[in-house]
Amino acid sequence: MAYNFEFYAPTKVIFGKGAENETGKLIKAFGASRVLVVYGGGSVKRSGLLEKIEASLSTEKIVFRELGGVVPNPRLDKVYEGIRMGKERGTDFLLAVGGGSVIDSAKAIAYGLAEPEHDVWELFAHTRTARKCLPVASVLTIAAAGSETSRGCVITNEHTGEKRAYDDNLARPRFAVMNPEYTITLPDYQTESGCVDIMMHTMERYFTNGGNMEITDALAEGLLRTVMKNAVKPHHNPGDYDARAEIMWAGSLAHNDLTGCGNDGGDFMSHKLEHELGGMFDVTHRAGLAAIWPSWARYVCNECLSRFVRYARNVMGIAAEGSDEEIAEAGIRGMEEFYHSIGMPVNLEELGIHPTDRQIEEMAERCMAACGSHTGSAKKLAKDDMIRIYTNARNSK
Ligand code: NZQ
Ligand code: ZN
């Protein structure tokens, strides 16, 4: 039965060729006057995108400052640097030019500037909730995290090794500029692993034991099939605009909550388990998800069997007859084969990490602490379950 739901997706999307030229006008329409432009390690300089965005701001006579140097698994110290800079300059709008790490850093800076009397990390440590957040927008350069339309924000405290999420509608971006042409400079690994994150955001909402709607399932299954079909195309033809457009739009729809309407809020334990891998080993979020999912899926499968069968049939195209358990296993194997076909790992060994028993226990402890009351939907996990999933993931073949 469909559960009651609220769907809130306020981000204005400007999609397609030349969309970046609208940025200055959009910011002006939102009434901003002093903008902090946040970016990463330099890809937006090399592609010429940053220069274009800044020209668009200058045309509208918008004062801006730059903060570069955000790294993947974005760090708390960079957020503090942004907050200091924003305070000095009277920043009233955050513009992220880049991917999820840059957007999340901009969101965290926006929280910090809106309530400067508090330490922003308290949000990620879940010791308080935010009451305010400055407006944030993005010019997206990689389809993956979905932060351009999501309420999520994920920051790593490099001093404690904790990678933590804070979710709040206050940080939903005001607008997202998406020109798929700017993803052409992405290395294949980034494009393909981005597809894993997009699929995982959909699958986290799909494998649930509460509240299902035919329309939501159909959207989710269509999204998954579309991403699988297009994920490999840029490798053969980097300039395939249509494939890049499909992937980019899927990235936003996968994480703006559309594919969760009517269910119980989703499982999200693959993400929670992965965040501990990111905090301890600094692995790429999306590759970490591919490496943990098969172990998670096999561990919870029997408690969410009808969903795994449906997924095997409707997403992986498994036509063979057999018991529900066999069909579900065929669906999981199908996903492993797909991940391999795009160069993704399906266990921790392939991910290139070898956690010890002690490290696994520590990750499980931290994961339990980070989860609070929500420890899954396909199956509610306890610490021992998490230990089993990490242990089985060492080499799940
Ligand atoms: O730093 P630069 O030089 O820009 O290089 C980046 C970075 O090295 C590169 N890149 C991005 N666009 C490019 C490009 N290189 C060439 N051409 C381009 N057009 O790609 C690398 C990865 O960028 P990053 O922003 O880290 O990727 P992604 O979008 O996957 O973001 C990952 C972060 O988002 C978090 C993850 O945990 C991770 O920290 N997530 C955020 C979510 C949210 N806010 O809702 C949800 C997700 O589940 C996820 O947890
Ligand atoms: Zn993700």
Side-chain angles (χ1 to χ4, degrees), residues 317-355:
I318 305 296
E321 293 305 318
S323 67
D324 283 357
E325 287 80 1
E326 285 164 347
I327 293 161
E329 171 58 25
I332 296 169
R333 266 204 316 279
M335 185 54 87
E336 287 178 318
E337 281 161 22
F338 170 70
Y339 283 162
H340 273 159
S341 77
I342 57 169
M344 288 295 113
V346 299
N347 57 49
L348 299 183
E349 190 181 324
E350 290 181 5
L351 182 63
I353 61 169
H354 303 89

Side-chain angles (χ1 to χ4, degrees), residues 172-221:
R172 292 251 191 203
R174 302 301 162 101
F175 67 79
V177 167
M178 297 187 219
N179 178 350
E181 287 175 319
Y182 279 98
T183 66
I184 288 176
T185 52
L186 280 166
D188 278 354
Y189 175 81
Q190 300 287 358
T191 302
E192 291 167 353
S193 61
C195 290
V196 174
D197 203 14
I198 295 168
M199 293 176 72
M200 284 301 307
H201 291 155
T202 314
M203 286 150 65
E204 296 278 23
R205 293 171 169 91
Y206 186 84
F207 292 109
T208 63
N209 266 321
N212 294 127
M213 290 182 81
E214 190 61 41
I215 181 69
T216 299
D217 283 345
L219 287 167
E221 289 161 1

Side-chain angles (χ1 to χ4, degrees), residues 39-44 46-47 70-74 97-102 104 107 140-147 150-154 156 163 167 182-187 190 194 197 201 255 271 274-275 284-286 289:
Y39 65 95
S43 71
V44 295
R46 290 190 293 279
S47 68
V70 171
V71 295
N73 289 330
V97 186
S101 297
V102 174
D104 286 358
K107 288 178 177 177
L140 187 66
T141 63
I142 173 172
S147 185
S150 83
R151 65 199 187 103
C153 177
V154 188
T156 296
K163 181 175 178 177
D167 297 338
Y182 279 98
T183 66
I184 288 176
T185 52
L186 280 166
Q190 300 287 358
D197 203 14
H201 291 155
H255 207 31
H271 265 74
E274 190 289 324
H275 282 172
T284 306
H285 170 62
R286 322 159 221 140
L289 287 173

